[in-house]
Amino acid sequence: MNILKKISVVVFLLVMLFSIQQQVAEATNYRIVKVVNDSSLLVRDSPSDVAKSIGNLTKGEFVTEFSSSKDWSYIQVGDIKGYVISSSLSIPQSSIKIANSKSGLVVKSKPSTSASTLATLKYNMIVEDYGSVENGWSFVQYGNVVGYVKSDFIGNAKTTTKYVNTRSGVIVRNIASPSGASVGSLSNGTQVTVHATLVGWSYVTADNVRGYVEAAYLGTKKPAESTSTSQKSTYNTFSEEELEYALLELEYKKRMYPTHANEYRDALEEQLKIEKEKLNRLLQKEKELRKKIGR
């Protein structure tokens, strides 16, 4: 391979890597649905009281919040994106509904069949339903998809009870994908309510945590020993695959907390224990190999 071909390959790989990183970043940038509390709320083009007004919201309107600080939230309503006073927004009540249209649940940008389509969700997908808006439409959310669906095409799910059944616990995500944003974690033995299972992922609720977990890590019987006991003691009973999964879960847990938090330090401590276990296994393998070859 000549130098030009090598450069081309490197550039191609860099572009692909950047694209993948962008997709993951977008998937994990979790959006939050909020509702307007004030009778009138101005949307401004920058986070300032003297900034230009680009819209006006009324009490009860839903918005999608991308980010927030102490004073200002960056939001979207329809085609309008801008800043509003954070204290004028709150998280609305919602209910868990299942997509019951076998042809798919069409999510629209506005409560109208002529509005642009934002996404088509699969049959049996779970959405957060924030309530009816007008003329048989409901405002819903699935991950970063936020919009309007026909109310007749969503319904109540039949639930079952299961337990987290993996010693490293599970990360709960906002969509049925490993690239989804982490919205919490559940330890081994936690009882969950399963609302639906689709393509290897189950939508579960447990206390204040709700979202998707890998269905393979749920069982119908509660494990005899909790994660907090087994992890804190030793990792020498874990398989290689379980060690790698535990490392991945702990890495995600670290990202959920600031470095000064006890939860972050606990996760770091567990990671060090796993790395030590992996090193001990490598040393043991080396010892056995040397013995085999007579050195």
Side-chain angles (χ1 to χ4, degrees):
M1 183 181 294
N2 59 41
I3 188 66
L4 289 177
K5 287 185 177 180
K6 288 182 178 179
I7 292 174
S8 297
V9 170
V10 171
V11 170
F12 174 76
L13 291 175
L14 288 174
V15 170
M16 289 295 292
L17 179 59
F18 177 77
S19 175
I20 292 170
Q21 289 174 333
Q22 285 290 99
Q23 293 173 21
V24 172
E26 290 174 2
T28 56
N29 183 20
Y30 191 40
R31 301 172 187 177
I32 301 174
V33 171
K34 290 195 173 181
V35 66
V36 177
N37 295 327
D38 297 345
S39 58
S40 179
L41 179 63
L42 292 177
V43 183
R44 300 186 182 275
D45 63 359
S46 63
S48 169
D49 289 328
V50 296
K52 179 183 176 181
S53 174
I54 57 175
N56 187 29
L57 307 178
T58 57
K59 187 173 183 178
E61 279 195 73
F62 294 112
V63 305
T64 303
E65 183 185 76
F66 295 94
S67 62
S68 66
S69 62
K70 180 180 179 181
D71 299 317
W72 294 91
S73 293
Y74 182 58
I75 59 96
Q76 179 174 4
V77 181
D79 299 326
I80 299 175
K81 286 185 178 181
Y83 295 85
V84 298
I85 298 173
S86 298
S87 59
S88 297
L89 303 176
S90 65
I91 297 177
Q93 291 184 337
S94 65
S95 58
I96 298 170
K97 295 293 180 65
I98 191 169
N100 57 18
S101 173
K102 292 188 176 180
S103 60
L105 182 64
V106 179
V107 185
K108 294 286 188 177
S109 60
K110 297 178 181 179
S112 170
T113 54
S114 61
S116 59
T117 297
L118 301 177
T120 301
L121 305 180
K122 293 181 179 179
Y123 177 64
N124 273 353
M125 272 189 171
I126 293 293
V127 297
E128 294 280 341
D129 176 22
Y130 294 95
S132 300
V133 286
E134 56 182 80
N135 300 325
W137 291 85
S138 295
F139 191 69
V140 304
Q141 178 180 24
Y142 170 80
N144 282 348
V145 177
V146 182
Y148 300 88
V149 300
K150 294 294 289 182
S151 302
D152 291 342
F153 294 157
I154 55 176
N156 295 319
K158 294 181 180 180
T159 61
T160 58
T161 299
K162 288 192 176 182
Y163 300 88
V164 176
N165 193 8
T166 173
R167 285 172 288 188
S168 57
V170 293
I171 293 294
V172 185
R173 304 195 180 281
N174 68 326
I175 60 174
S177 168
S179 64
S182 172
V183 294
S185 62
L186 299 171
S187 61
N188 188 39
T190 301
Q191 180 178 313
V192 300
T193 300
V194 179
H195 297 262
T197 298
L198 182 70
V199 292
W201 291 82
S202 292
Y203 188 93
V204 304
T205 53
D207 294 328
N208 294 324
V209 179
R210 55 174 61 183
Y212 286 90
V213 302
E214 293 187 63
Y217 297 111
L218 300 177
T220 56
K221 295 182 179 180
K222 186 175 183 178
E225 186 179 15
S226 69
T227 302
S228 58
T229 302
S230 60
Q231 278 194 347
K232 293 292 182 181
S233 58
T234 180
Y235 283 98
N236 58 16
T237 60
F238 277 39
S239 67
E240 297 293 334
E241 183 179 359
E242 286 178 317
L243 286 178
E244 293 302 327
Y245 183 79
L247 278 175
L248 181 62
E249 294 292 296
L250 289 167
E251 185 61 38
Y252 278 115
K253 184 177 180 180
K254 282 167 55 183
R255 296 179 187 177
M256 294 172 57
Y257 299 98
T259 55
H260 62 269
N262 290 331
E263 291 86 352
Y264 181 94
R265 290 195 289 267
D266 288 344
L268 183 60
E269 180 183 343
E270 294 304 307
Q271 279 188 319
L272 292 174
K273 288 182 181 180
I274 294 175
E275 294 294 350
K276 184 177 180 181
E277 175 62 26
K278 290 175 65 177
L279 178 60
N280 288 337
R281 293 186 186 188
L282 284 175
L283 292 175
Q284 182 62 32
K285 288 180 180 178
E286 181 186 12
K287 182 178 179 181
E288 292 174 355
L289 181 61
R290 287 181 179 276
K291 184 177 180 181
K292 184 179 293 184
I293 62 178
R295 293 182 60 182

